[in-house]
Amino acid sequence: QVQLVESGGGLVQPGGSLTLSCAASGSIFRIVAMGWYRQAPGKQRELVATTNAGGATDYADSVKGRFTISRINAMNTVYLQMNTLKPEDTAVYYCNGKIYSSPHNWDDLWGQGTQVTVSS
């Protein structure tokens, strides 16, 4: 069984920075992609950034130039460096992983979520 554990959320002032991390653990055969989504109160969950096994990345337009996703394959860990944070970035951030636990079984997994609050 594979689990995703997030850390790094918190309260930050506008213009500040935070780094989120997400570690996948358990019976991992292959990681197809990992990424970050967020959900603000009263809104739907939305894509923030993803990275696949080949290193390709994708970002929401609202975070391009401010957020950077990176991954350490050997540690099955993905990071989200968030700079120049804005109040509208306030949300619960969820790690997502598309992970094979065996050659023929894969799951679309979610972490427990970590709160990011941008406020003065």
Side-chain angles (χ1 to χ4, degrees), residues 13-109:
Q13 292 186 341
S17 299
L18 276 177
T19 301
L20 306 182
S21 65
C22 173
S25 64
S27 179
I28 297 172
F29 177 74
R30 181 167 66 94
I31 296 177
V32 176
M34 293 183 74
W36 292 93
Y37 292 70
R38 67 186 181 187
Q39 187 166 18
K43 294 188 177 181
Q44 289 188 332
R45 190 172 297 188
E46 63 176 2
L47 169 73
V48 177
T50 62
T51 180
N52 66 19
T57 57
D58 188 28
Y59 294 91
D61 288 343
S62 59
V63 306
K64 284 180 180 176
R66 299 189 298 122
F67 291 11
T68 302
I69 189 169
S70 60
R71 180 176 152 190
I72 299 179
N73 291 333
M75 297 176 63
N76 295 325
T77 300
V78 65
Y79 299 92
L80 185 68
Q81 174 67 44
M82 305 184 292
N83 298 326
T84 319
L85 282 160
K86 304 175 181 180
E88 50 264 44
D89 294 318
T90 295
V92 178
Y93 284 69
Y94 295 91
C95 179
N96 174 262
K98 294 170 175 54
I99 299 173
Y100 279 84
S101 57
S102 67
H104 303 291
N105 295 314
W106 76 279
D107 288 301
D108 191 18
L109 300 170

